[in-house]
C-alpha cells in the first residue's frame, strides 16, 4: 500500500522576493519544520515536513512523475532529504508500478523499512501512485499562490498542470 496522508493545518509564511525556484518558495512558504505529511510505504510510515523534506525532494518528485507521464518502463530516482535517503528502482508492469527501494537512511527509526528485505517492494497501481503525489503537489501549489508566488518561479511548469 502506498499513501500520502496530509495534515492541512499548517501556518503559511511570507513571500521571499529573492526566491527564484519552486524549491526555495516551498521553503519560504512553510516557516516551520513540522511533520505534517505521512508517507505510507506498505506498513512503514515515514513522517515528512514541507519546509525541509518536500522543498528538498521537489525536483526529484517532478522527475519521477514526468518519467511516468512519458511512459518510461524502467528508471531509478534518488531522494535525499532531511528525513530519508533512498533510491527507488521503478518498473512499470501493465497497470502497476513495482518499486524496489534501497533505503539508505530513515530518521526516527532504528530499522530501515523492512531492512531492505523482499517485503519492502511496493506494488501499486500507477494511477493511484501519481494521484497521491499530485494531491500533495496541488496543495503546495495552492499554498504558494496564497503566499503570493506565481508561475514565474523556475520549475513551476508541472504545478501548472494540476
Amino acid at each position: 500500500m502506498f499513501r500520502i496522508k496530509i495534515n492541512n493545518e499548517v501556518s503559511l509564511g511570507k513571500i521571499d522576493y529573492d526566491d527564484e525556484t519552486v524549491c526555495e518558495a516551498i521553503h519560504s512558504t512553510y516557516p516551520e519544520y513540522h511533520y505534517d505529511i505521512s508517507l505510507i510505504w506498505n506498513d512503514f510510515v515515514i513522517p515528512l515536513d514541507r519546509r525541509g523534506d518536500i522543498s528538498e525532494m521537489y525536483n526529484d518528485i517532478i522527475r519521477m512523475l514526468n518519467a511516468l507521464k512519458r511512459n518510461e518502463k524502467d528508471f531509478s530516482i534518488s531522494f535525499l532529504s532531511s528525513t530519508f535517503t533512498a533510491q527507488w528502482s521503478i518498473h512499470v508492469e501493465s497497470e502497476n508500478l513495482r518499486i524496489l527501494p534501497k533505503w539508505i537512511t530513515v530518521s526516527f527509526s532504528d530499522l530501515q523499512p523492512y531492512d531492505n528485505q523482499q517485503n519492502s517492494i511496493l506494488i501499486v497501481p500507477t494511477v493511484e501512485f501519481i494521484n497521491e503525489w499530485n494531491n500533495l503537489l496541488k496543495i503546495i501549489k495552492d499554498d504558494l499562490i496564497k503566499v503570493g508566488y506565481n508561475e514565474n518561479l523556475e520549475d513551476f511548469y508541472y504545478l501548472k498542470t494540476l
Side-chain angles (χ1 to χ4, degrees), residues 25-109:
I26 292 170
H27 192 268
S28 297
T29 296
Y30 303 106
E32 299 174 12
Y33 292 98
H34 179 67
Y35 293 103
D36 53 6
I37 299 169
S38 296
L39 179 70
I40 301 168
W41 186 281
N42 292 328
D43 294 325
F44 195 82
V45 178
I46 301 170
L48 301 174
D49 73 272
R50 296 174 214 211
R51 181 178 175 95
D53 296 309
I54 301 303
S55 70
E56 293 167 353
M57 296 168 54
Y58 175 79
N59 289 326
D60 297 319
I61 293 167
I62 299 306
R63 271 193 288 280
M64 175 180 65
L65 293 172
N66 281 330
L68 291 170
K69 280 186 170 187
R70 289 189 305 269
N71 294 316
E72 290 185 27
K73 300 295 181 198
D74 288 292
F75 62 94
S76 291
I77 195 79
S78 297
F79 294 101
L80 173 61
S81 77
S82 302
T83 302
F84 79 94
T85 304
Q87 181 179 30
W88 296 353
S89 296
I90 300 173
H91 176 69
V92 178
E93 299 175 341
S94 185
E95 303 293 318
N96 292 323
L97 299 177
R98 179 183 184 85
I99 306 175
L100 176 60
K102 179 180 179 188
W103 301 103
I104 299 162
T105 60
V106 180
S107 299
F108 312 111
S109 176

